[in-house]
């Protein structure tokens, strides 16, 4: 297949591109900068210049492809990050690509997050949707729009990534937690730290996206989750040990000044199942677990 990939130079997207190329697919990657374009060219990828602010360009790229993996999302990890605006831009992209693929039966995979389930500690499954009125429901609408494309002749699927997709080169939540621990002089968890984060290794996440493009049934939600849930206390303890710093419990009131905008994420308890994903696509996560990956030391180099 010729696959059009948005977010092709990101941490996950670049691994997906390599996975697709190694499986014999051709890839066209969206690039919004000269640097991204050069990286894609070096990887043997055809370049399409553009960004999420150009729905017409996204539609053209989708129409010229046999399949689309929409992995781009505007992440601005700062105090001023406007999540709602990023979700709105993502929705416009989904709608534009979906319209271009309508009636084609072409595969269209979008990225989402397992954290949107926010099930109060209940194990989330692929059949669950976001809870109305919650923070996760803001992005949950985008999932619904993508899933509805199955009724319009698009083989659409949603891949929900674990809150931490880990591996060498990761600059996401784990990297941020390490930086906060250095700055504050200790690694922290909220309350008893029993809240759980699912996790997945980057290689397993990339393979799942490829399998979804190749074989996912129309209208399915899939979980890129290698581990159902790791106690946040264990994550903090491992970070503290590697940094030679103490690990402490902090109260919910102390979390915002300690973690900043990450306080909400640090307190999430979102254990997530991958049972149906494994069954539907014969996906078997084989990469190292999060704590094992942290023990390798590359996060602290």
């Amino acid at each position: 297949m010729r696959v059009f990939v948005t977010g092709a130079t990101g941490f996950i997207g670049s691994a997906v591109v390599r996975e697709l190329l190694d499986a014999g697919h051709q890839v066209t990657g969206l690039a919004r900068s000269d640097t991204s374009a050069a990286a894609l060219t070096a990887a043997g990828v055809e370049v399409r210049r553009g960004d999420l602010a150009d729905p017409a360009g996204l539609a053209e790229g989708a129409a010229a492809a046999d399949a689309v993996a929409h992995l781009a999302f505007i992440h601005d990890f700062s105090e001023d990050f406007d999540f709602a605006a990023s979700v709105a831009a993502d929705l416009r992209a989904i709608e534009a690509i979906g319209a271009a693929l309508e009636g084609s039966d072409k595969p269209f995979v979008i990225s989402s997050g397992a954290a949107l389930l926010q099930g109060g500690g209940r194990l989330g499954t692929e059949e669950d949707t976001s809870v109305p009125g919650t923070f996760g429901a803001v992005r949950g609408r985008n999932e619904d729009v993508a899933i509805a494309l199955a009724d319009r002749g698009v083989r659409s699927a949603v891949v929900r990534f674990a809150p931490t997709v880990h591996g060498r080169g990761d600059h996401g939540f784990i990297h941020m937690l390490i930086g906060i621990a250095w700055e504050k002089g200790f690694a922290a968890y909220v309350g008893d730290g029993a809240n759980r984060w699912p996790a997945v290794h980057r290689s397993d996440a990339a393979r799942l996206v490829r399998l979804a493009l190749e074989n996912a049934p129309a209208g399915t939600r899939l979980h890129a989750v290698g581990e159902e849930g790791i106690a946040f206390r264990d994550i903090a303890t491992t970070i503290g040990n590697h940094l030679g710093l103490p690990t402490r419990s902090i109260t919910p009131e102390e979390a915002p000044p300690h973690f900043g905008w990450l306080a909400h994420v640090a307190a999430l308890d979102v254990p997530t199942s991958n049972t149906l994903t494994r069954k539907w696509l014969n996906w078997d996560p084989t990469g190292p677990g999060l704590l094992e990956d942290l023990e390798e030391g590359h996060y602290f180099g």
Side-chain angles (χ1 to χ4, degrees):
M1 294 187 295
R2 177 178 291 277
V3 185
F4 177 45
V5 180
T6 72
T9 57
F11 178 63
I12 298 173
S14 58
V16 169
V17 166
R18 177 46 52 195
E19 177 75 23
L20 290 169
L21 292 173
D22 288 347
H25 299 294
Q26 296 175 285
V27 178
T28 298
L30 186 70
R32 62 177 179 173
S33 69
D34 292 342
T35 300
S36 293
L40 291 174
T41 300
V45 173
E46 183 178 327
V47 175
R48 181 178 184 89
R49 294 301 294 261
D51 56 35
L52 296 188
D54 178 19
L58 295 175
E60 290 175 4
D66 302 314
V68 179
H70 172 47
L71 306 177
F73 190 82
I74 302 171
H75 286 109
D76 175 15
F77 292 131
S78 71
E79 296 289 348
D80 298 325
F81 178 37
D82 189 340
F83 181 67
S86 292
V87 171
D90 183 51
L91 179 59
R92 289 191 293 270
I94 293 169
E95 291 174 334
I97 293 170
L101 299 180
E102 187 169 354
S104 68
D105 198 36
K106 292 179 181 179
F108 177 28
V109 172
I110 76 158
S111 64
S112 187
L116 66 76
L117 294 176
Q118 298 185 39
R122 181 180 64 83
L123 184 66
T125 77
E126 293 88 341
E127 295 177 330
D128 291 329
T129 56
S130 58
V131 179
T134 65
F135 185 76
V138 177
R139 195 170 185 183
R141 181 191 173 203
N142 293 15
E143 285 194 0
D144 295 339
V145 170
I147 293 298
L149 290 170
D151 295 326
R152 294 164 53 192
V154 181
R155 186 160 64 79
S156 58
V158 173
V159 175
R160 290 171 172 160
F161 293 100
T164 176
V165 180
H166 57 92
R168 293 182 182 274
D170 174 19
H171 285 84
F173 292 148
I174 296 299
H175 176 78
M176 293 179 218
L177 291 173
I178 292 170
I180 291 170
W182 262 125
E183 177 187 350
K184 303 294 184 178
F186 66 98
Y189 54 86
V190 181
D192 63 5
N195 60 296
R196 294 152 293 179
W197 274 16
V200 67
H201 191 268
R202 180 190 188 204
S203 61
D204 291 321
R207 189 166 71 258
L208 179 57
V209 173
R210 173 179 63 80
L211 291 172
L213 287 165
E214 293 173 344
N215 299 309
T220 51
R221 290 176 169 89
L222 305 164
H223 283 175
V225 169
E227 297 173 281
E228 287 187 349
I230 307 156
F232 193 86
R233 178 182 59 245
D234 294 338
I235 298 172
T237 299
T238 304
I239 290 173
N241 288 344
H242 272 272
L243 296 178
L245 297 173
T247 303
R248 300 177 191 165
S249 168
I250 61 176
T251 66
E253 294 74 24
E254 292 172 319
H258 181 88
F259 289 113
W261 67 266
L262 198 59
H264 169 74
V265 181
L268 284 175
D269 186 24
V270 284
T272 307
S273 172
N274 64 13
T275 300
L276 293 177
T277 300
R278 294 170 70 115
K279 175 183 176 182
W280 290 334
L281 294 182
N282 195 29
W283 177 64
D284 183 23
T286 58
L290 174 58
L291 298 183
E292 180 184 354
D293 206 6
L294 284 169
E295 292 291 359
E296 289 186 7
H298 57 83
Y299 272 95
F300 307 93

